[in-house]
Amino acid sequence: MKKHLILRVVSKLLIPLIILYGLYVQFHGDFGAGGGFQAGVIIAVSVILYALIFGMDAAQEAVPPWLIKIGTASGVIVFAGVGFITMLMGGNFLDYDVLHPDLAHRAGQHMGILWVEIGVLLTVTSVMIAVFYAFAGRVPDMSDEEW
Amino acid sequence: MEQDLTQYLDYVLIAMMFAVGIAVVRMRNLFAAVMLTGVYSLLSAAWFVSLDAVDVAFTEAAVGAGIGTVLMLAAMLLTAREAKETSPGRHWAALGVVVVAGGALLFAVPDMPVYGDAHSPANSGVGLDYLNETPNDIAVPNVVTAVLASYRGYDTMGETTVVFAAAVAVMLMLGMGRRRRRTGGNGAGKAKVEDQT
Amino acid sequence: MFELLSERFIYIPIIILLMTGLYVVVATGNLVKRLVGLSLFQTSVCLMYIAIGKVFGGTPPILADTHGEDAGHGPDPAASVVAGHRASDDHAEIATDTGAHAADTVATAHEPVAAAAAEHGVQLVEHATELAHHAAIYSNPLPHVLILTAIVVGVATLAVGLALVVRIQEAYGSIEDDDLNSADYAVETGGAE
């Protein structure tokens, strides 16, 4: 992978911006188009781009598979955990209103949606990266001539 | 019936999607077929925007055209790059299936809700309630997020679990994190080595 | 019949797109291409759902006026929507009354004029109901939510399908279903292997 100088430079510039955009989509999802699903995919795409340009070894060094395995499960746990916390605080499962006493501005709903979306983000990001690792880990490194 | 001017844009998009669909049917080169699927996803994302579904368009463009294409390319690299010619009999059988199924669906079209009608049963039910109640109940501007995360939180939790289960299935089938150096040998031999581990 | 179909015209190309995907699934023996066809089919199903939720003149279901500095202090958008509905309902009633009244008064004099006046009243009513919906029109958010998650789940299941195909390739050395059938047949009859 000594070639592709332009690709490497451009992707190095782009990857932080892609992650930043993913975070914008995540936390602006209440106000405009976006949310955990889309943001998760966008952040996963940044890792996939890194793996495509710099190779799988570099990508797995940056984002190790054990972290991904934890991430896939922890997203679901965060989501369900919000539900159990609302139950502990006296509400129904996933009834966010009990999370915060400020009912006039629905602060509890905002908190609940924020945490639930973070759970979705974790799971979707990790799952997309995990699936990509699973497939790309089987593909032997290709020489350019094969294309 | 009042109609948007965007309908002409819709017709252009539909025509392009027809062209892409027929190209996929005729294509035997898998690389071309997979890339055309990405094009199809992008075209449908454009149409989703025209149908006011910006969140869906966003997801389709990122997931369908991005991740889906990457995954299918990876699977194609691991398997074959060219589909075999199918027999004419099979084409006729497929045509029969398509004509019967399509005829049944077309038969049902007069029972569908009127396109673009705000009073159709599909649009006057719970969807309208979500629109009217979201500012009071949830107080976030994006109704789609409100329904997704709060009103239908169970639903989304189930979907997240399904996505998680799919990842577990893929990891079980293909393994993960073990970067294997290719030292020669064909695919079948490697699979046996895998099975023993 | 023509009107029945013309109002639902948009479903017909979607059904044809659906059938294109189904044709690919049935007509090819290559498993990767079958999954390609399946994803075309799935995208078309999503299109059908979203098309049902479309409202003419509507905007994406992102409520106006609750975001920015005015949030919390400005008028409650739901209240204004409901108020808009009520106001124009009243408007509609008045229009109906006027129309009917006009019809009554003129009915004795000239029949055709009365009919015209009544028609005018009806037009007023229609105009008023239209106004009611101009207060705030959003497309139906419910199909959007369902399809948004369906797309993500769809790509996850597509990944499972592709993983199965990869394992089939590793076990059989082929992903054409003719080859798979003949290999299975050979194992069952104890012939080739």
Side-chain angles (χ1 to χ4, degrees), chain B residues 23-47:
Chain B
V24 171
V25 169
R26 298 181 56 81
M27 206 65 76
R28 284 204 300 118
N29 186 345
L30 285 179
F31 180 71
V34 168
M35 292 317 282
L36 282 175
T37 320
V39 173
Y40 190 88
S41 282
L42 272 183
L43 286 172
S44 65
W47 198 10

Side-chain angles (χ1 to χ4, degrees), chain C residues 24-106:
Chain C
V24 177
V25 173
V26 182
T28 56
N30 186 295
L31 295 179
V32 171
K33 201 177 169 194
R34 276 191 175 174
L35 286 171
V36 166
L38 208 58
S39 81
L40 290 192
F41 191 87
Q42 188 207 350
T43 310
S44 310
V45 171
C46 298
L47 279 174
M48 178 159 262
Y49 262 77
I50 299 295
I52 291 173
K54 164 79 176 169
V55 173
F56 280 138
T59 54
I62 296 170
L63 302 175
D65 300 330
T66 52
H67 178 40
E69 277 93 68
D70 295 337
H73 303 291
D76 195 354
S80 67
V81 170
V82 176
H85 269 284
R86 283 207 194 108
S88 30
D89 278 350
D90 292 348
H91 193 151
E93 259 168 44
I94 294 165
T96 331
D97 286 346
T98 341
H101 187 63
D104 282 345
T105 45
V106 197

